[in-house]
Amino acid sequence: MSNLPDWQDDKGMYAWLMAKLDDQLEAEMAEANKNADHSAVREWLASDGPALEVAELSDDVTKLRDRYPHLALFLHPMRLPRGKHRPSRRVNDYDFRVRAAAADVPRIRKLWQVHYRRRNRATGMPQVEKSPEFFAAARWEVDKDDVIRLRERGKPK
């Protein structure tokens, strides 16, 4: 393929990888939505969806009690064991991006295997080449060490 960047060209490799990963994502989304029937989701959103979501996220079952008054006596937030508290449901954007970057690492290795017949770039001296973790971290604007840590141990810093 003539549009492949040189193996040692980090800037060209970054641009090529980002385009390929974006193409893969678009193809996966198109495949997932190809045969999707959204009518059930629309009906759920119109009827019970918001009340159920509020009850799940905040343990506030008042909307469900209002919607189903005949079940109001039975609708209560779940009890927790003694000494346990409900965790915060705040979404940590950085952790999400680290997980997305970690998920991109095997995709990058597969792209390299298919197009270059290599999976890893040399990290020894004198020529230091960027790793798949580096490119994934740059794509998601996170620290490379957090991506490596997540892939090795399963937990970001």
Side-chain angles (χ1 to χ4, degrees):
M1 298 184 112
S2 60
N3 62 349
L4 285 176
D6 185 46
W7 185 248
Q8 286 84 20
D9 178 15
D10 290 338
K11 289 182 182 178
M13 182 65 74
Y14 177 79
W16 180 78
L17 282 172
M18 297 313 110
K20 286 292 189 182
L21 290 171
D22 288 344
D23 291 345
Q24 281 183 358
L25 181 63
E26 287 176 17
E28 289 171 4
M29 288 174 48
E31 180 65 27
N33 289 324
K34 184 170 63 173
N35 297 323
D37 179 18
H38 300 291
S39 62
V41 174
R42 285 189 198 104
E43 290 173 15
W44 176 79
L45 283 173
S47 63
D48 296 334
L52 288 170
E53 188 173 11
V54 167
E56 178 192 3
L57 293 177
S58 65
D59 290 330
D60 182 13
V61 293
T62 55
K63 289 190 181 211
L64 281 175
R65 287 179 183 156
D66 293 343
R67 176 129 174 91
Y68 301 106
H70 60 286
L71 297 175
L73 291 174
F74 306 104
L75 295 174
H76 303 287
M78 289 180 53
R79 286 188 65 134
L80 294 176
R82 185 175 179 162
K84 298 291 181 181
H85 301 281
R86 300 202 187 280
S88 172
R89 289 283 186 139
R90 291 180 295 193
V91 175
N92 187 335
D93 182 52
Y94 186 78
D95 287 344
F96 171 78
R97 290 185 290 136
V98 169
R99 291 179 193 284
D104 276 349
V105 170
R107 292 179 179 161
I108 291 171
R109 288 188 197 279
K110 186 169 183 172
L111 283 170
W112 285 349
Q113 180 69 33
V114 168
H115 295 282
Y116 290 97
R117 300 195 195 292
R118 302 182 194 178
R119 292 175 52 113
N120 294 316
R121 298 175 91 205
T123 56
M125 297 305 275
Q127 178 65 33
V128 177
E129 296 172 337
K130 306 294 190 222
S131 67
E133 291 85 3
F134 171 84
F135 289 111
R139 174 182 171 86
W140 291 97
E141 298 175 351
V142 296
D143 185 21
K144 178 181 88 166
D145 294 332
D146 289 339
V147 175
I148 293 170
R149 190 176 300 111
L150 178 64
R151 288 189 46 79
E152 288 176 354
R153 295 188 217 142
K155 291 189 178 181
K157 187 176 177 180

